[in-house]
Amino acid sequence: MPAAPSDGMWAALGAIAATAITQLSRLVRPRRPKPDRMAAERELLDEAWARLDQEKRELLAEVRDELKECRDRSDDLEALVRAERLRVALLIRALQEAGIPVPPAAMLEIDFDPATGRYQLREMA
């Protein structure tokens, strides 16, 4: 059985009324904008990169300070070893001038330990 023409008219009027009510509600209460998730993620990534860059700078500064300290310590120990070798050479020279026989390899048989500041005779095997 065919639908009455008035049924279609009521359906069309209902659709028009629903659309009009929706548009009026948007005028009174506008739609909230969708959150920009990409911008939020970019902002979080920028903050993370900035934090990592700062941490990298701090670590590099610590490494540079430690390297400088190690170089200074190494230079100090090298100077101490040179000074001690000079003292041993002067001692050997004084012994030789006093007429005490000193073998030419005496300089090679004396070890100076800069960590403890002690002299030791090298053990001959």
Side-chain angles (χ1 to χ4, degrees):
M1 178 161 120
S6 64
D7 290 341
M9 184 179 71
W10 285 113
L13 284 175
I16 291 171
T19 304
I21 291 172
T22 303
Q23 294 302 322
L24 283 175
S25 71
R26 287 188 182 155
L27 285 176
V28 173
R29 186 175 47 109
R31 237 184 230 182
R32 286 179 277 159
K34 292 182 180 177
D36 188 5
R37 290 190 179 113
M38 295 293 283
E41 287 180 15
R42 277 193 301 271
E43 185 177 317
L44 288 174
L45 283 174
D46 289 343
E47 290 172 5
W49 278 113
R51 189 183 72 248
L52 287 174
D53 284 343
Q54 182 61 31
E55 289 175 6
K56 179 181 75 171
R57 282 189 209 100
E58 290 171 3
L59 285 173
L60 285 175
E62 284 181 35
V63 168
R64 281 191 207 105
D65 291 344
E66 190 70 28
L67 182 61
K68 184 180 180 303
E69 184 180 324
C70 287
R71 284 183 179 152
D72 291 345
R73 248 186 288 139
S74 175
D75 291 344
D76 291 345
L77 287 176
E78 185 178 330
L80 186 59
V81 167
R82 279 185 295 182
E84 293 304 322
R85 284 186 182 154
L86 178 62
R87 288 183 189 143
V88 170
L90 289 173
L91 178 64
I92 290 172
R93 181 70 177 169
L95 289 172
Q96 288 172 342
E97 287 180 359
I100 301 172
V102 179
M107 190 71 175
L108 300 175
E109 294 173 3
I110 298 174
D111 284 334
F112 174 71
D113 184 12
T116 60
R118 297 179 60 203
Y119 292 98
Q120 292 179 342
L121 289 175
R122 185 174 291 148
E123 295 181 19
M124 303 303 270

